[in-house]
Amino acid sequence: LDKVYAIYQGRGDRHLAGRALISKGIYVGYGGAAEEAIRLLQEGLSLIDAERDPVLVYSAVHNQAAFLQGCGRLREARALLWKYPATAESVGGRVNLLKIQWVTAVIDAGLGDLERAEQTLLEVKRGFEEAGLYYKAALVSLEIVTVWIRLGRHEEARNLVVEVLGVFKVLRISREALGSLLLLDRAFEEQAATAAKRRGGENRMDGVMILAQGVTD
């Protein structure tokens, strides 16, 4: 990609040079260097012709916002998404729009706007399910679980994790299943801690271990 960028720069084609930088930024971000990825994506955005390839713009914006969110720069991420309002037509289809809405909801949750995040996440989950993307819908469900835990809706969180575990088992995905168990354990711990405070004692739920056995089976 560095060679591609150099070639297009030498030819004076700013748009394709920017496209190469955006591609590089995405790969660099996936490699774990989020701050460098953000810089590359921003530089790439400054070079491309938005009217020539609007889907490329939103790919850069979506990934840049996701990396900003991962770095804890939530307000910058939200401002970037507000600067580039998305529609299904402009981002290349409904699934791409759902991905952007997913990132937006995670940012909202991080900024404490839990009700808005919940509403958006539920819509995104439903959209992925309608598109037959059940793995992505399950991952969105885990985001919903974290929101419900923060809202104190532990029973709903527990039920949703059980639903997600079923999806992961069908798809034979164990790593995410174990992650969902940790979320469920957290929900139980918080619920137990609240109950203990009210009763002046300790209360530990052991439903997680039962579910864990079901997953390993």
Side-chain angles (χ1 to χ4, degrees), residues 52-81:
R52 182 173 170 182
D53 193 348
V55 175
L56 176 61
V57 173
Y58 283 101
S59 175
V61 168
H62 168 257
N63 283 281
Q64 188 177 359
F67 294 138
L68 284 166
Q69 182 268 325
C71 292
R73 296 162 61 180
L74 300 178
R75 297 194 183 280
E76 291 178 66
R78 175 184 271 182
L80 180 65
L81 292 173

Side-chain angles (χ1 to χ4, degrees), residues 78 101-125 140 143-144 146-148 150-151:
R78 175 184 271 182
Q101 291 173 331
W102 182 359
V103 173
T104 301
V106 173
I107 292 167
D108 286 338
L111 291 172
D113 195 345
L114 299 179
E115 286 76 15
R116 176 187 290 182
E118 177 195 10
Q119 180 179 354
T120 303
L121 288 169
L122 288 170
E123 292 173 359
V124 171
K125 176 178 180 289
V140 173
E143 300 286 359
I144 296 171
T146 63
V147 170
W148 282 350
R150 292 175 63 185
L151 289 170

Side-chain angles (χ1 to χ4, degrees), residues 87-165:
T87 63
E89 293 75 19
S90 64
V91 302
R94 187 185 181 209
V95 171
N96 286 339
L97 180 60
L98 290 171
K99 293 177 181 177
I100 293 174
Q101 291 173 331
W102 182 359
V103 173
T104 301
V106 173
I107 292 167
D108 286 338
L111 291 172
D113 195 345
L114 299 179
E115 286 76 15
R116 176 187 290 182
E118 177 195 10
Q119 180 179 354
T120 303
L121 288 169
L122 288 170
E123 292 173 359
V124 171
K125 176 178 180 289
R126 183 165 55 251
F128 280 141
E129 289 172 342
E130 291 172 354
L133 300 174
Y134 300 107
Y135 172 67
K136 290 189 180 298
L139 294 181
V140 173
S141 295
L142 295 182
E143 300 286 359
I144 296 171
V145 167
T146 63
V147 170
W148 282 350
I149 288 173
R150 292 175 63 185
L151 289 170
R153 292 157 58 180
H154 302 294
E155 187 62 26
E156 290 174 90
R158 179 191 183 282
N159 292 338
L160 185 54
V161 173
V162 172
E163 175 187 321
V164 173
L165 283 173

